[in-house]
Amino acid sequence: MQIHDSLSRFNDHDLPKNFVSIAVQIDPTDYEPKHAGILIRYNSVNYLHHYPGGSPPLVEDGFNESGWYIYKIVDSFNFNDASDIASFLQYCRRVCKNSSITYSYIADGSSYNQAGDFASKQGLPEFGTCVGFCLNTLQGGMIDIDSTILELSEWDESKVDVNIDHWAQSKVMVKYPDLNWDLYNAFKKRITPLEYLCSAYFSVFPISKNDISIISKQVIEEIRLIYQN
């Protein structure tokens, strides 16, 4: 597995005019990924599919952020086939149009079907973080995913931000007053943007937490090298 020279800083490279990539926004103080998205390039135009958290998910058409974005092209999509990329882009637009996601540290293996509708796997409403939203999108849009992208049972709530969690739950209580909170808490876990970025290095699913942990320090170091050079 090659990590050196595997990441691209946004718009720094002359790359294929069509691709799908796992993208993260970088905190310039410590080079840690802080926000997750899916960067799509179609006919040399950039589109960012993401969930800001405080507002509904969207596809930013003509995305041209010159700041701290890193991405890795996903091998599951054929960048030589523009129609493959166009089809995924339209799917992302359908997902955003139909989504009623509420921010929560919930990852239960759900996804979006080809119509862009949320397909709950555990009977919970549509919950997620920026990472969860992207994973659910990729899970529904990649034909080689039989179960889940990550082995979710290996993640827990140890990295949950308590203040954000309390804020999220206050929103959930208003929107879903009859929610089964035992079910909600059973699937509470945090997958970090760094772990999300690391998942781009694997092509056999589901990916274990340990496999991601093994490469995470190398990935952070590669990010530092990109921005310090």
Short mmCIF file of all heavy atoms in Angstrom, two decimals, residues 178-218:
data_model
loop_
_atom_site.label_atom_id
_atom_site.label_comp_id
_atom_site.label_asym_id
_atom_site.label_seq_id
_atom_site.Cartn_x
_atom_site.Cartn_y
_atom_site.Cartn_z
N ASP A 178 -40.99 10.44 19.82
CA ASP A 178 -41.27 9.05 20.18
C ASP A 178 -40.11 8.11 19.85
O ASP A 178 -40.29 6.89 19.75
CB ASP A 178 -42.53 8.56 19.44
CG ASP A 178 -43.76 9.37 19.83
OD1 ASP A 178 -43.88 9.74 21.01
OD2 ASP A 178 -44.59 9.65 18.94
N LEU A 179 -38.93 8.66 19.69
CA LEU A 179 -37.76 7.86 19.31
C LEU A 179 -37.43 6.80 20.37
O LEU A 179 -37.55 7.04 21.56
CB LEU A 179 -36.54 8.79 19.15
CG LEU A 179 -35.22 8.11 18.75
CD1 LEU A 179 -35.27 7.63 17.31
CD2 LEU A 179 -34.05 9.07 18.94
N ASN A 180 -37.00 5.64 19.89
CA ASN A 180 -36.50 4.59 20.78
C ASN A 180 -35.04 4.93 21.13
O ASN A 180 -34.13 4.70 20.34
CB ASN A 180 -36.57 3.24 20.07
CG ASN A 180 -36.09 2.09 20.94
OD1 ASN A 180 -35.31 2.27 21.87
ND2 ASN A 180 -36.55 0.88 20.63
N TRP A 181 -34.82 5.49 22.32
CA TRP A 181 -33.49 5.96 22.69
C TRP A 181 -32.52 4.81 22.98
O TRP A 181 -31.30 4.98 22.83
CB TRP A 181 -33.58 6.91 23.88
CG TRP A 181 -34.10 8.24 23.45
CD1 TRP A 181 -35.39 8.69 23.51
CD2 TRP A 181 -33.35 9.29 22.82
NE1 TRP A 181 -35.49 9.95 22.97
CE2 TRP A 181 -34.25 10.35 22.55
CE3 TRP A 181 -32.01 9.45 22.49
CZ2 TRP A 181 -33.84 11.54 21.94
CZ3 TRP A 181 -31.60 10.63 21.89
CH2 TRP A 181 -32.51 11.66 21.62
N ASP A 182 -33.03 3.68 23.37
CA ASP A 182 -32.15 2.51 23.54
C ASP A 182 -31.54 2.12 22.20
O ASP A 182 -30.35 1.80 22.12
CB ASP A 182 -32.92 1.33 24.14
CG ASP A 182 -33.27 1.53 25.60
OD1 ASP A 182 -32.58 2.33 26.26
OD2 ASP A 182 -34.23 0.90 26.07
N LEU A 183 -32.36 2.15 21.15
CA LEU A 183 -31.87 1.83 19.81
C LEU A 183 -30.89 2.90 19.34
O LEU A 183 -29.84 2.60 18.76
CB LEU A 183 -33.05 1.71 18.84
CG LEU A 183 -32.74 1.23 17.42
CD1 LEU A 183 -32.14 -0.18 17.45
CD2 LEU A 183 -34.00 1.26 16.56
N TYR A 184 -31.23 4.15 19.60
CA TYR A 184 -30.36 5.27 19.23
C TYR A 184 -28.98 5.10 19.87
O TYR A 184 -27.95 5.17 19.19
CB TYR A 184 -31.02 6.57 19.68
CG TYR A 184 -30.24 7.84 19.42
CD1 TYR A 184 -30.49 8.60 18.28
CD2 TYR A 184 -29.29 8.31 20.34
CE1 TYR A 184 -29.80 9.79 18.05
CE2 TYR A 184 -28.60 9.49 20.12
CZ TYR A 184 -28.85 10.23 18.97
OH TYR A 184 -28.16 11.39 18.75
N ASN A 185 -28.96 4.86 21.17
CA ASN A 185 -27.68 4.76 21.89
C ASN A 185 -26.89 3.51 21.50
O ASN A 185 -25.66 3.49 21.63
CB ASN A 185 -27.93 4.79 23.39
CG ASN A 185 -28.34 6.17 23.88
OD1 ASN A 185 -27.78 7.17 23.45
ND2 ASN A 185 -29.33 6.23 24.75
N ALA A 186 -27.58 2.50 21.02
CA ALA A 186 -26.90 1.26 20.62
C ALA A 186 -26.00 1.47 19.42
O ALA A 186 -25.03 0.72 19.22
CB ALA A 186 -27.94 0.18 20.32
N PHE A 187 -26.29 2.49 18.62
CA PHE A 187 -25.51 2.74 17.41
C PHE A 187 -24.78 4.08 17.45
O PHE A 187 -24.34 4.58 16.42
CB PHE A 187 -26.41 2.66 16.17
CG PHE A 187 -26.95 1.28 15.93
CD1 PHE A 187 -28.22 0.94 16.36
CD2 PHE A 187 -26.15 0.31 15.34
CE1 PHE A 187 -28.71 -0.35 16.17
CE2 PHE A 187 -26.63 -0.97 15.15
CZ PHE A 187 -27.91 -1.30 15.57
N LYS A 188 -24.62 4.63 18.65
CA LYS A 188 -23.88 5.88 18.79
C LYS A 188 -22.38 5.58 18.71
O LYS A 188 -21.86 4.75 19.46
CB LYS A 188 -24.21 6.58 20.09
CG LYS A 188 -23.53 7.94 20.23
CD LYS A 188 -23.62 8.51 21.63
CE LYS A 188 -25.05 8.81 22.03
NZ LYS A 188 -25.09 9.47 23.36
N LYS A 189 -21.70 6.23 17.81
CA LYS A 189 -20.25 6.05 17.66
C LYS A 189 -19.72 7.18 16.80
O LYS A 189 -20.47 7.79 16.03
CB LYS A 189 -19.92 4.69 17.04
CG LYS A 189 -20.60 4.41 15.71
CD LYS A 189 -20.48 2.94 15.35
CE LYS A 189 -21.33 2.09 16.26
NZ LYS A 189 -21.16 0.64 16.04
N ARG A 190 -18.45 7.43 16.93
CA ARG A 190 -17.84 8.47 16.10
C ARG A 190 -16.76 7.89 15.22
O ARG A 190 -15.82 7.26 15.69
CB ARG A 190 -17.25 9.60 16.94
CG ARG A 190 -16.76 10.73 16.03
CD ARG A 190 -16.08 11.84 16.75
NE ARG A 190 -15.68 12.86 15.78
CZ ARG A 190 -14.55 13.56 15.84
NH1 ARG A 190 -13.72 13.37 16.84
NH2 ARG A 190 -14.27 14.45 14.92
N ILE A 191 -16.92 8.11 13.92
CA ILE A 191 -15.89 7.81 12.94
C ILE A 191 -15.32 9.16 12.53
O ILE A 191 -16.05 10.05 12.08
CB ILE A 191 -16.48 7.07 11.73
CG1 ILE A 191 -17.15 5.78 12.19
CG2 ILE A 191 -15.40 6.80 10.69
CD1 ILE A 191 -18.18 5.25 11.23
N THR A 192 -14.04 9.35 12.71
CA THR A 192 -13.44 10.66 12.48
C THR A 192 -13.20 10.91 10.99
O THR A 192 -13.10 9.96 10.19
CB THR A 192 -12.10 10.78 13.21
OG1 THR A 192 -11.15 9.87 12.61
CG2 THR A 192 -12.25 10.46 14.70
N PRO A 193 -13.08 12.18 10.59
CA PRO A 193 -12.72 12.48 9.20
C PRO A 193 -11.40 11.85 8.78
O PRO A 193 -11.25 11.46 7.62
CB PRO A 193 -12.65 14.02 9.19
CG PRO A 193 -13.63 14.44 10.24
CD PRO A 193 -13.48 13.41 11.33
N LEU A 194 -10.44 11.73 9.72
CA LEU A 194 -9.18 11.05 9.39
C LEU A 194 -9.42 9.58 9.05
O LEU A 194 -8.89 9.05 8.07
CB LEU A 194 -8.19 11.16 10.54
CG LEU A 194 -6.88 10.36 10.38
CD1 LEU A 194 -6.12 10.81 9.13
CD2 LEU A 194 -6.02 10.48 11.63
N GLU A 195 -10.23 8.91 9.85
CA GLU A 195 -10.55 7.51 9.57
C GLU A 195 -11.29 7.37 8.25
O GLU A 195 -11.06 6.41 7.49
CB GLU A 195 -11.37 6.93 10.72
CG GLU A 195 -10.57 6.78 12.01
CD GLU A 195 -11.40 6.43 13.21
OE1 GLU A 195 -12.58 6.89 13.30
OE2 GLU A 195 -10.90 5.70 14.10
N TYR A 196 -12.15 8.31 7.97
CA TYR A 196 -12.86 8.33 6.68
C TYR A 196 -11.87 8.44 5.53
O TYR A 196 -11.96 7.70 4.54
CB TYR A 196 -13.85 9.49 6.69
CG TYR A 196 -14.46 9.86 5.37
CD1 TYR A 196 -15.38 9.04 4.74
CD2 TYR A 196 -14.13 11.07 4.74
CE1 TYR A 196 -15.96 9.39 3.52
CE2 TYR A 196 -14.70 11.43 3.54
CZ TYR A 196 -15.61 10.59 2.93
OH TYR A 196 -16.17 10.95 1.74
N LEU A 197 -10.91 9.36 5.63
CA LEU A 197 -9.90 9.51 4.58
C LEU A 197 -9.09 8.22 4.43
O LEU A 197 -8.81 7.78 3.31
CB LEU A 197 -8.97 10.68 4.91
CG LEU A 197 -7.83 10.94 3.92
CD1 LEU A 197 -8.36 11.28 2.53
CD2 LEU A 197 -6.93 12.06 4.44
N CYS A 198 -8.71 7.61 5.55
CA CYS A 198 -7.93 6.38 5.49
C CYS A 198 -8.68 5.25 4.79
O CYS A 198 -8.06 4.37 4.18
CB CYS A 198 -7.55 5.94 6.90
SG CYS A 198 -6.32 6.98 7.72
N SER A 199 -9.99 5.27 4.84
CA SER A 199 -10.77 4.20 4.20
C SER A 199 -10.56 4.17 2.69
O SER A 199 -10.78 3.14 2.04
CB SER A 199 -12.26 4.36 4.52
OG SER A 199 -12.83 5.45 3.82
N ALA A 200 -10.11 5.28 2.12
CA ALA A 200 -9.90 5.35 0.66
C ALA A 200 -8.76 4.46 0.20
O ALA A 200 -8.63 4.20 -1.00
CB ALA A 200 -9.63 6.80 0.25
N TYR A 201 -7.93 3.99 1.12
CA TYR A 201 -6.78 3.17 0.76
C TYR A 201 -7.12 1.68 0.63
O TYR A 201 -6.27 0.88 0.26
CB TYR A 201 -5.66 3.34 1.79
CG TYR A 201 -4.99 4.68 1.69
CD1 TYR A 201 -5.46 5.77 2.43
CD2 TYR A 201 -3.90 4.88 0.86
CE1 TYR A 201 -4.85 7.01 2.34
CE2 TYR A 201 -3.28 6.11 0.76
CZ TYR A 201 -3.76 7.18 1.51
OH TYR A 201 -3.17 8.42 1.41
N PHE A 202 -8.35 1.32 0.93
CA PHE A 202 -8.72 -0.09 0.95
C PHE A 202 -9.76 -0.40 -0.13
O PHE A 202 -10.59 0.44 -0.47
CB PHE A 202 -9.27 -0.46 2.32
CG PHE A 202 -8.28 -0.26 3.45
CD1 PHE A 202 -8.21 0.96 4.12
CD2 PHE A 202 -7.41 -1.27 3.82
CE1 PHE A 202 -7.30 1.16 5.14
CE2 PHE A 202 -6.49 -1.08 4.84
CZ PHE A 202 -6.43 0.13 5.51
N SER A 203 -9.70 -1.61 -0.63
CA SER A 203 -10.65 -2.03 -1.67
C SER A 203 -11.38 -3.32 -1.32
O SER A 203 -12.15 -3.84 -2.12
CB SER A 203 -9.92 -2.21 -3.00
OG SER A 203 -8.86 -3.15 -2.89
N VAL A 204 -11.10 -3.85 -0.12
CA VAL A 204 -11.81 -5.03 0.38
C VAL A 204 -12.65 -4.58 1.56
O VAL A 204 -12.13 -3.96 2.50
CB VAL A 204 -10.83 -6.14 0.79
CG1 VAL A 204 -11.59 -7.33 1.38
CG2 VAL A 204 -10.00 -6.60 -0.41
N PHE A 205 -13.94 -4.90 1.53
CA PHE A 205 -14.88 -4.39 2.53
C PHE A 205 -15.55 -5.53 3.28
O PHE A 205 -15.74 -6.61 2.72
CB PHE A 205 -15.93 -3.52 1.85
CG PHE A 205 -15.35 -2.44 0.97
CD1 PHE A 205 -15.28 -2.63 -0.41
CD2 PHE A 205 -14.85 -1.27 1.51
CE1 PHE A 205 -14.74 -1.65 -1.23
CE2 PHE A 205 -14.31 -0.29 0.70
CZ PHE A 205 -14.25 -0.48 -0.67
N PRO A 206 -15.95 -5.30 4.55
CA PRO A 206 -15.78 -4.06 5.33
C PRO A 206 -14.34 -3.91 5.84
O PRO A 206 -13.63 -4.90 6.03
CB PRO A 206 -16.76 -4.24 6.49
CG PRO A 206 -16.89 -5.72 6.64
CD PRO A 206 -16.75 -6.31 5.28
N ILE A 207 -13.95 -2.67 6.07
CA ILE A 207 -12.60 -2.33 6.52
C ILE A 207 -12.57 -2.32 8.04
O ILE A 207 -13.45 -1.73 8.69
CB ILE A 207 -12.19 -0.94 6.00
CG1 ILE A 207 -12.37 -0.86 4.47
CG2 ILE A 207 -10.76 -0.61 6.39
CD1 ILE A 207 -12.39 0.55 3.95
N SER A 208 -11.57 -2.95 8.62
CA SER A 208 -11.49 -3.01 10.08
C SER A 208 -10.88 -1.72 10.66
O SER A 208 -10.11 -1.03 10.00
CB SER A 208 -10.65 -4.21 10.52
OG SER A 208 -9.27 -3.96 10.34
N LYS A 209 -11.25 -1.44 11.89
CA LYS A 209 -10.71 -0.27 12.59
C LYS A 209 -9.20 -0.41 12.77
O LYS A 209 -8.46 0.58 12.67
CB LYS A 209 -11.40 -0.09 13.94
CG LYS A 209 -11.12 1.24 14.62
CD LYS A 209 -11.95 1.37 15.89
CE LYS A 209 -11.92 2.79 16.45
NZ LYS A 209 -10.57 3.25 16.80
N ASN A 210 -8.75 -1.61 13.04
CA ASN A 210 -7.32 -1.83 13.24
C ASN A 210 -6.52 -1.53 11.97
O ASN A 210 -5.46 -0.91 12.04
CB ASN A 210 -7.06 -3.28 13.66
CG ASN A 210 -5.60 -3.55 13.94
OD1 ASN A 210 -5.02 -2.96 14.85
ND2 ASN A 210 -4.98 -4.41 13.15
N ASP A 211 -7.05 -1.93 10.80
CA ASP A 211 -6.35 -1.65 9.54
C ASP A 211 -6.22 -0.15 9.32
O ASP A 211 -5.19 0.34 8.86
CB ASP A 211 -7.09 -2.29 8.38
CG ASP A 211 -6.89 -3.80 8.32
OD1 ASP A 211 -5.95 -4.29 8.98
OD2 ASP A 211 -7.68 -4.48 7.64
N ILE A 212 -7.26 0.59 9.66
CA ILE A 212 -7.22 2.04 9.52
C ILE A 212 -6.24 2.65 10.52
O ILE A 212 -5.47 3.56 10.19
CB ILE A 212 -8.64 2.64 9.68
CG1 ILE A 212 -9.44 2.38 8.40
CG2 ILE A 212 -8.57 4.13 10.00
CD1 ILE A 212 -10.85 2.90 8.43
N SER A 213 -6.23 2.14 11.73
CA SER A 213 -5.32 2.65 12.76
C SER A 213 -3.86 2.48 12.34
O SER A 213 -3.01 3.32 12.65
CB SER A 213 -5.56 1.94 14.09
OG SER A 213 -6.86 2.19 14.57
N ILE A 214 -3.56 1.40 11.65
CA ILE A 214 -2.18 1.10 11.25
C ILE A 214 -1.62 2.18 10.32
O ILE A 214 -0.45 2.53 10.39
CB ILE A 214 -2.11 -0.29 10.58
CG1 ILE A 214 -2.29 -1.39 11.64
CG2 ILE A 214 -0.79 -0.49 9.83
CD1 ILE A 214 -2.44 -2.78 11.08
N ILE A 215 -2.48 2.73 9.44
CA ILE A 215 -1.98 3.70 8.46
C ILE A 215 -2.26 5.15 8.83
O ILE A 215 -1.77 6.06 8.15
CB ILE A 215 -2.56 3.41 7.05
CG1 ILE A 215 -4.07 3.69 7.01
CG2 ILE A 215 -2.26 1.98 6.62
CD1 ILE A 215 -4.64 3.71 5.60
N SER A 216 -3.03 5.40 9.87
CA SER A 216 -3.49 6.77 10.15
C SER A 216 -2.34 7.74 10.40
O SER A 216 -2.37 8.89 9.92
CB SER A 216 -4.47 6.78 11.33
OG SER A 216 -3.85 6.29 12.50
N LYS A 217 -1.31 7.33 11.14
CA LYS A 217 -0.18 8.23 11.40
C LYS A 217 0.58 8.55 10.12
O LYS A 217 1.04 9.68 9.93
CB LYS A 217 0.75 7.61 12.44
CG LYS A 217 0.17 7.58 13.84
CD LYS A 217 1.17 7.03 14.85
CE LYS A 217 0.58 7.03 16.25
NZ LYS A 217 1.54 6.48 17.24
N GLN A 218 0.70 7.57 9.24
CA GLN A 218 1.37 7.80 7.96
C GLN A 218 0.57 8.78 7.10
O GLN A 218 1.15 9.62 6.40
CB GLN A 218 1.54 6.48 7.21
CG GLN A 218 2.49 5.50 7.85
CD GLN A 218 2.46 4.17 7.13
OE1 GLN A 218 1.68 3.28 7.46
NE2 GLN A 218 3.30 4.04 6.12
#
